Amino acid sequence: MTIENNTAAKKAEKLVAVKGMNDILPPSVPRTEKLPDSALWQWFETSVRQVMASYGYQYLLTPIVEPTALFVRGLGEVTDIVEKEMYSFTDSMNGDKLTLRPEATAGIVRAMNEHNALYNGPLRLWTIGAMFRHERPQKGRYRQFHQLDVEALGYAGPDVDAEMILMARSLWRALGLVEGQHVRLEINSLGQPEERKQHRDALVAYFGQHQEQLDEDSQRRLHTNPLRILDSKNPAMQALIEGAPRLMDFLGEASRAHFDAVRAVLDAVGLEYRVNTRLVRGMDYYNLTVFEWVTDQLGSQGTVCGGGRYDGLIGQLGGKPAPAVGFGLGIERLLLLLQELKLPVPDAAPHAYAVVPPGTPLPPVMALLEQLRAAGVRVQQHAGGADGPGSFKSQFKKADASGARFALIFGGDELAQGQVSVKPLRGGEQVLRPLADVSSWATSLL
Ligand code: ATP
Ligand code: MG
């Protein structure tokens, strides 16, 4: 092998992540791509847990891999996801057709059907996890991304539709986002299948009269799924779409009343929204209420959260028919938004950094740090390599970089007197504290 070939082979060997699939790194690791860091991520998760608990939603986990048929049956064959975005493969051991989940709802419904979970009454559920779609990677659009997914199964009334929307608002508030300013709510009603059918006929007639203006995707959809033409992002088609018959005008009395009831709650709590009669969502399973939370700050990846009612899906996937409503929130997109807005994130840095000069006996130091941690203090201990802990100076540099407010200095003299020096790193007086009575001073570090 020539030298050149050899380096080429080495290069080819370099192991990197799959395109469009990202590492979420700790803040201290420099990142090349604009992505949220893990501190932001954890803060999001903490906020989510609090909000979910405050509405009485229970957490669950379902597998990342599901039978391909689940998504084909659940999402509809003529959807972007099923047509071209699914990571599907054949299990080489047994020939099963499998898919990496592109969304969470179908898996959750499958699980609840399988365990007869709705037998004892309705359920409010949430999960967080990775989803996979083979799309063109760009800012806010990835091949592996994460969703918060919230579902209420077995509830028919508009109260739960409104609750879903209010929960999202509570989450925005917990994270410091202002609704109406950073994120805006759009809602629509897709009515019931019979109303959709009448609207569909009108759509086919309308677009059929203007066939020459349809792009290739829309030509194909004209007879398979004309409603999805309204979802087209092609700027050249917008004028045509603007003039299309509105589903809203085909809603019967019951659908209209359901929609009005949702709106009445939003109005009562002063939540502003826009009725967007062109909002249709990407999956076939939706009916009645659909909604999206959108932002103007992320370019064309502007939808951070989308959901709606899907009363037919549970039955369609083999369960005893029951109504349901839910939403999915794109975590990367939302965190990019928080990052862009530079909203303050609660400090997760250690309260204190333990400086351990060379030669310090470790057992009493580590025993003390354990007591501090038990008292709720976040302490990062300086840890050395095989050659020892490193100089005083380099340890202080690390203490500074850690973001801690205090350095705990375990010098030989102090230890001999049963004490430790507490040095504020952002101004203030250094003090001595007794090792024997941690509880008397631990809280001063918080
Ligand atoms: P879009 O119109 O942007 O493709 P979608 O309608 O396909 O979104 P949903 O299936 O409703 O998206 O998923 C819910 C949320 O998940 C979206 O609102 C978005 O925030 C996020 N999301 C969807 N696809 C991706 C992706 N490829 N990368 C990152 N986030 C995504
Ligand atoms: Mg999509």
Side-chain angles (χ1 to χ4, degrees):
M1 197 188 271
T2 65
I3 288 174
E4 240 167 310
N5 276 345
N6 200 356
T7 29
K10 277 228 176 87
K11 254 195 192 149
E13 264 172 34
K14 193 171 177 206
L15 296 171
V16 297
V18 174
K19 185 177 174 194
M21 307 201 179
N22 302 297
D23 302 309
I24 302 299
L25 298 167
S28 61
V29 178
R31 282 162 293 142
T32 48
E33 216 186 326
K34 241 193 134 202
L35 276 166
D37 65 42
S38 62
L40 203 52
W41 196 282
Q42 284 199 300
W43 182 50
F44 171 78
E45 287 191 336
T46 304
S47 309
V48 166
R49 273 196 288 276
Q50 281 162 1
V51 170
M52 292 304 133
S54 75
Y55 285 82
Y57 280 64
Q58 304 181 80
Y59 183 63
L60 89 165
L61 293 165
T62 64
I64 284 175
V65 179
E66 295 276 3
T68 302
L70 173 65
F71 302 113
V72 176
R73 255 166 80 188
L75 311 188
E77 253 169 290
V78 199
T79 53
D80 275 354
I81 293 180
V82 172
E83 273 183 333
K84 54 190 188 203
E85 294 175 358
M86 294 209 301
Y87 279 92
S88 297
F89 58 99
T90 305
D91 185 327
S92 62
M93 303 295 174
N94 58 15
D96 286 353
K97 300 241 180 302
L98 305 175
T99 294
L100 301 183
R101 65 180 178 197
E103 58 93 61
T105 306
I108 290 176
V109 169
R110 193 267 313 136
M112 295 304 100
N113 284 349
E114 188 172 333
H115 300 285
N116 298 313
L118 291 175
Y119 186 79
N120 292 320
L123 282 168
R124 290 171 156 115
L125 304 168
W126 69 280
T127 193
I128 280 183
M131 310 294 153
F132 301 84
R133 295 184 193 178
H134 202 280
E135 305 196 64
R136 190 168 68 77
Q138 52 197 291
K139 184 179 170 196
R141 192 176 294 284
Y142 315 101
R143 290 182 176 172
Q144 176 180 315
F145 63 100
H146 296 76
Q147 277 186 358
L148 159 66
D149 196 75
V150 184
E151 313 287 355
L153 309 181
Y155 296 93
D159 45 358
V160 187
D161 305 28
E163 177 176 275
M164 286 280 154
I165 293 169
L166 296 182
M167 277 168 88
R169 179 175 80 157
S170 294
L171 186 57
W172 310 148
R173 291 183 168 183
L175 294 167
L177 289 168
V178 180
E179 74 262 16
Q181 184 186 338
H182 303 132
V183 279
R184 291 179 289 105
L185 175 64
E186 303 207 332
I187 60 171
N188 191 20
S189 174
L190 299 183
Q192 298 295 7
E194 186 47 41
E195 295 152 1
R196 293 238 290 264
K197 198 188 156 298
Q198 285 174 22
H199 173 243
R200 181 196 153 110
D201 294 344
L203 270 185
V204 173
Y206 171 82
F207 286 122
Q209 280 162 15
H210 301 90
Q211 278 219 32
E212 72 292 344
Q213 294 175 50
L214 295 180
D215 63 15
E216 203 182 308
D217 258 357
S218 304
Q219 295 258 4
R220 201 162 33 86
R221 293 208 160 117
L222 181 54
H223 296 287
T224 53
N225 196 346
L227 191 63
R228 294 296 316 282
I229 299 178
L230 303 179
D231 203 21
S232 165
K233 296 192 170 102
N234 182 352
M237 300 251 314
Q238 295 312 308
L240 182 65
I241 289 172
E242 206 64 60
R246 301 179 337 152
L247 175 51
M248 192 60 77
D249 299 327
F250 289 77
L251 297 190
E253 211 169 304
S255 296
R256 216 168 260 285
H258 189 102
F259 194 49
D260 290 343
V262 175
R263 294 180 58 171
V265 176
L266 303 183
D267 292 337
V269 299
L271 172 46
E272 278 177 31
Y273 56 86
R274 184 169 85 95
V275 175
N276 175 358
T277 55
R278 286 172 43 194
L279 183 65
V280 297
R281 313 272 312 119
M283 277 71 110
D284 281 359
Y285 51 58
Y286 289 108
N287 68 310
L288 293 175
T289 319
V290 289
F291 61 90
E292 287 190 352
W293 287 94
V294 297
T295 176
D296 305 322
Q297 326 257 343
L298 295 177
S300 51
Q301 274 57 253
T303 306
V304 292
C305 173
R309 183 159 277 286
Y310 53 94
D311 294 335
L313 184 65
I314 296 175
Q316 195 176 313
L317 292 177
K320 184 164 167 253
V325 53
F327 70 77
L329 177 157
I331 298 179
E332 283 88 346
R333 258 184 224 184
L334 180 70
L335 300 191
L336 277 179
L337 175 63
L338 293 177
Q339 202 166 264
E340 210 120 309
L341 296 170
K342 298 197 166 48
L343 296 177
V345 176
D347 193 9
H351 296 115
Y353 190 96
V355 170
V356 189
T360 307
L362 285 176
V365 171
M366 294 185 75
L368 181 90
L369 299 186
E370 288 301 289
Q371 288 182 49
L372 283 173
R373 291 177 185 125
V377 184
R378 298 192 296 265
V379 192
Q380 186 173 331
Q381 180 187 352
H382 182 85
D387 305 333
S391 72
F392 225 52
K393 196 172 155 208
S394 81
Q395 289 199 39
F396 266 105
K397 254 194 187 156
K398 293 221 165 77
D400 247 342
S402 75
R405 269 170 287 164
F406 298 95
L408 308 175
I409 308 165
F410 291 92
D413 293 348
E414 286 104 322
L415 279 180
Q417 294 162 23
Q419 290 181 317
V420 55
S421 287
V422 177
K423 179 182 161 69
L425 292 170
R426 325 230 181 276
E429 286 290 302
Q430 181 166 329
V431 291
L432 283 168
R433 299 292 194 189
L435 298 180
D437 187 15
V438 170
S439 59
S440 69
W441 55 275
T443 50
S444 70
L445 301 175
L446 298 175

